[in-house]
Amino acid sequence: MPERRTVALVTLGCARNEVDSEELAGRLAADGWELVENAEDADVAVVNTCGFVEAAKKDSVDALLEANDLKDHGRTQAVVAVGCMAERYGKELAEALPEADGVLGFDDYSDISNRLQTILSGGSVEAHTPRDRRKLLPLSPVERQQAAASVALPGHGAVDAPEAPAAEAPENVPADLPEGLAPASGPRAPLRRRLDTSPVASVKLASGCDRRCSFCAIPSFRGSFVSRRPSDVLNETRWLAEQGVKEIMLVSENNTSYGKDLGDIRLLESLLPELAAVDGLERVRVSYLQPAEMRPGLIDVLTSTEKVAPYFDLSFQHSAPDVLRAMRRFGDTDRFLELLETIRSKAPTAGARSNFIVGFPGETEADFAELERFVTHARLDAIGVFGYSDEDGTEAATYEHKLDQEVVDERLAHLSRLAEELTAQRAEERIGETLEVLVESLDDEDGWIGRAAHQAPETDGQIVLTADSTEGLELVPGRMVRAKVVDTEGVDLVAECLFEEAGR
């Protein structure tokens, strides 16, 4: 019998990384590796790092060092770094962190099993050499799909499923998919293995980004924007539903651009109803929307399609025009408020969240006051606030008129306090609403916990179901119940199950 090989995947960062980890898990499981939950129980601990901002980088280094400590008093024999930080820094990370037995980039993912086996056997694998991944594909989006097959795109993995009749293929592909891009044979199965039993899972809609925000380094190490084929997204969603998933969250660096390299910038509008119709699925959520790219048809689909959450994760970043121009973004306070008003005119209880950067180079007191004005009037359900810091290789790092760190910290603290107050007020506005709640877990102290349509996983608060209202109900993770909001705890809502309508 082959020797037992165990591996644990430790995932940091965003939901996109979670999808990438499950693709790695699928590749490793297919080659005979046994997946274990805890790093201390694994021969190899693979840390999927985040390289977005300094705090995330520190968390990634800490996770690698923590995993390395296990080599002294546990089963763990090797620690390997993958993910965005490994891709972005490669050999530099390997030299700075010799505790990592390997630093692998995206190009190594397709052969991840052999790479880990070499390391586990005492061999060495050359550390990844970073390169600007924007240069790997044609500049024109419509020319990318044919070239994308030769470029590593984490989270896009799929394999042919010959057991499925070829005749089923047309049903899996929207009719308006350009000629030559539809699969010639049957549907493809996702190259993925679930790492938990949560009723919620992310599905990658695309990779990379064509925007050139002056503060962001992501395009340099994630590459140009590449959409996944609609058939692959549909098949992966069906597979997840068969695994018991009730809610999928569509993720990418920019979901509003989906389809532009497939010949139809409105492809998301036709794909969402098909996803919502997948048997067993209760909710489809779209994340990472660019305000400047929002279009009436997409708003209509997001606010009127059954089982599609009226949820708007809008990347505003700021609202003062001068700061937005320096960020190489578009818009202003009034246009952003008008966008939110349009959304709420179609779905009054729609969820909306955003992130903001304060202390950007050149941000004046008037600019900061303008941002305060927007945040105060926007009625967002969740707000993330970050203080500006230089990122390697970004245009903003070369800007003059940098603010003193004390000023950045002061503005960060001020807007964070305001955001906390405003989101708590927004939660209170929801008292009396009746919500469809996806039950997710049973907490020892709070009881049954779930989320409504306006709440994304881990970022936007949760629903605490009152003990009296759940008594006698056979609740399990993944069940959808109707509940009425009766109280709040900060951004979290307290709700009573409606007995006569609970479940479906």
Side-chain angles (χ1 to χ4, degrees):
M1 292 182 62
E3 182 180 356
R4 179 173 181 254
R5 303 175 299 174
T6 57
V7 59
L9 287 130
V10 179
T11 306
L12 294 93
C14 64
R16 300 185 294 275
N17 257 15
E18 294 172 6
V19 176
D20 295 350
S21 285
E22 293 199 345
E23 181 184 302
L24 289 174
R27 292 182 182 276
L28 290 166
D31 204 42
W33 289 78
E34 180 181 339
L35 302 169
V36 296
E37 183 175 353
N38 299 313
E40 59 264 30
D41 300 325
D43 296 316
V44 183
V46 178
V47 180
N48 192 347
T49 61
C50 179
F52 182 40
V53 293
E54 285 302 320
K57 297 174 198 173
K58 182 181 183 303
D59 288 344
S60 295
V61 170
D62 289 346
L64 287 163
L65 293 174
E66 183 179 339
N68 183 69
D69 289 342
L70 297 173
K71 291 192 287 188
D72 295 330
H73 50 79
R75 179 187 178 99
T76 308
Q77 300 175 52
V79 176
V80 176
V82 299
C84 291
M85 189 175 181
E87 175 65 36
R88 185 176 181 184
Y89 294 104
K91 291 184 176 180
E92 182 182 342
L93 176 62
E95 292 170 0
L97 198 69
E99 291 86 352
D101 299 287
V103 176
L104 307 180
F106 298 151
D107 293 332
D108 294 303
Y109 283 20
S110 62
D111 198 30
I112 187 68
S113 177
N114 287 333
R115 299 287 195 274
L116 297 192
Q117 184 60 59
T118 296
I119 294 169
L120 183 60
S121 300
S124 62
V125 175
E126 184 177 358
H128 165 67
T129 300
R131 52 182 173 166
D132 189 339
R133 299 192 72 85
R134 290 172 294 191
K135 299 178 180 180
L136 301 182
L137 290 170
L139 184 63
S140 170
V142 296
E143 297 177 3
R144 288 181 195 154
Q145 283 292 322
Q146 301 300 335
S150 62
V151 176
L153 296 171
H156 287 226
V159 295
D160 291 335
E163 69 276 5
E168 293 183 7
E171 297 180 7
N172 298 330
V173 184
D176 54 358
L177 191 64
E179 183 179 356
L181 292 179
S185 58
R188 302 200 300 165
L191 185 55
R192 180 171 181 172
R193 174 68 66 90
R194 296 215 70 203
L195 294 173
D196 60 38
T197 58
S198 169
V200 184
S202 296
V203 174
K204 189 167 284 191
L205 198 61
S207 287
C209 186
D210 288 342
R211 301 183 70 88
R212 293 294 180 263
C213 300
S214 62
F215 56 84
C216 183
I218 288 177
S220 66
F221 57 86
R222 278 289 184 178
S224 299
F225 185 88
V226 180
S227 301
R228 290 184 73 194
R229 297 171 184 268
S231 56
D232 285 348
V233 177
L234 278 163
N235 290 329
E236 185 166 331
T237 298
R238 292 185 178 110
W239 177 82
L240 288 167
E242 290 170 358
Q243 306 295 310
V245 168
K246 298 299 181 183
E247 175 180 328
I248 63 161
M249 183 165 72
L250 298 176
V251 299
S252 74
E253 278 73 26
N254 178 10
N255 281 333
T256 35
S257 284
Y258 180 69
K260 72 175 186 179
D261 52 329
L262 294 173
D264 185 358
I265 190 61
R266 295 175 298 280
L267 196 53
L268 183 57
E269 286 94 306
S270 59
L271 178 60
L272 283 171
E274 295 190 59
L275 293 171
V278 169
D279 288 343
L281 208 61
E282 295 286 354
R283 183 182 291 157
V284 177
R285 183 182 305 277
V286 183
S287 61
Y288 305 112
L289 300 168
Q290 288 291 339
E293 297 181 25
M294 291 300 295
R295 43 195 184 270
L298 180 55
I299 294 174
D300 287 342
V301 170
L302 288 170
T303 55
S304 65
T305 307
E306 185 180 3
K307 294 189 177 181
V308 172
Y311 175 80
F312 293 81
D313 176 11
L314 295 160
S315 178
F316 290 119
Q317 302 299 344
H318 211 284
S319 71
D322 288 345
V323 175
L324 286 168
R325 281 194 291 271
M327 290 178 167
R328 302 222 176 274
R329 297 177 66 83
F330 308 95
D332 57 48
T333 295
D334 292 334
R335 273 189 278 182
F336 290 164
L337 290 175
E338 183 179 348
L339 172 60
L340 290 169
E341 183 179 348
T342 298
I343 291 168
R344 289 171 177 143
S345 69
K346 297 175 181 295
T349 61
R353 78 168 324 275
S354 192
N355 295 322
F356 300 94
I357 298 173
V358 298
F360 194 78
E363 181 190 65
T364 65
E365 290 186 6
D367 292 331
F368 185 67
E370 185 68 2
L371 176 58
E372 281 189 277
R373 181 170 81 89
F374 172 67
V375 172
T376 300
H377 290 89
R379 297 173 58 230
L380 298 172
D381 293 280
I383 299 172
V385 186
F386 301 89
Y388 172 81
S389 63
D390 286 340
E391 280 296 312
D392 297 336
T394 62
E395 181 184 353
T398 69
Y399 284 179
E400 298 179 349
H401 308 298
K402 301 281 178 63
L403 276 63
D404 291 340
Q405 190 60 48
E406 289 184 2
V407 175
V408 176
D409 293 342
E410 179 182 326
R411 291 181 182 179
L412 173 62
H414 178 83
L415 194 65
S416 296
R417 287 193 298 270
L418 178 61
E420 186 175 348
E421 294 173 5
L422 292 171
T423 52
Q425 290 175 15
R426 178 69 182 127
E428 290 176 358
E429 292 178 16
R430 293 191 179 275
I431 293 178
E433 285 186 16
T434 297
L435 308 172
E436 289 207 345
V437 179
L438 179 65
V439 177
E440 291 191 321
S441 62
L442 179 61
D443 184 83
D444 291 340
E445 294 185 4
D446 295 327
W448 285 103
I449 305 294
R451 286 178 303 101
H454 71 279
Q455 298 168 314
E458 299 183 11
T459 60
D460 298 349
Q462 59 189 14
I463 307 287
V464 179
L465 298 173
T466 61
D468 289 348
S469 70
T470 59
E471 187 176 353
L473 289 179
E474 296 181 2
L475 296 185
V476 293
R479 182 174 176 183
M480 191 75 80
V481 300
R482 290 178 65 80
K484 182 177 181 179
V485 181
V486 295
D487 201 356
T488 66
E489 296 176 356
V491 297
D492 295 337
L493 305 179
V494 179
E496 294 180 346
C497 279
L498 301 179
F499 285 79
E500 71 279 7
E501 298 182 52
R504 63 184 186 192

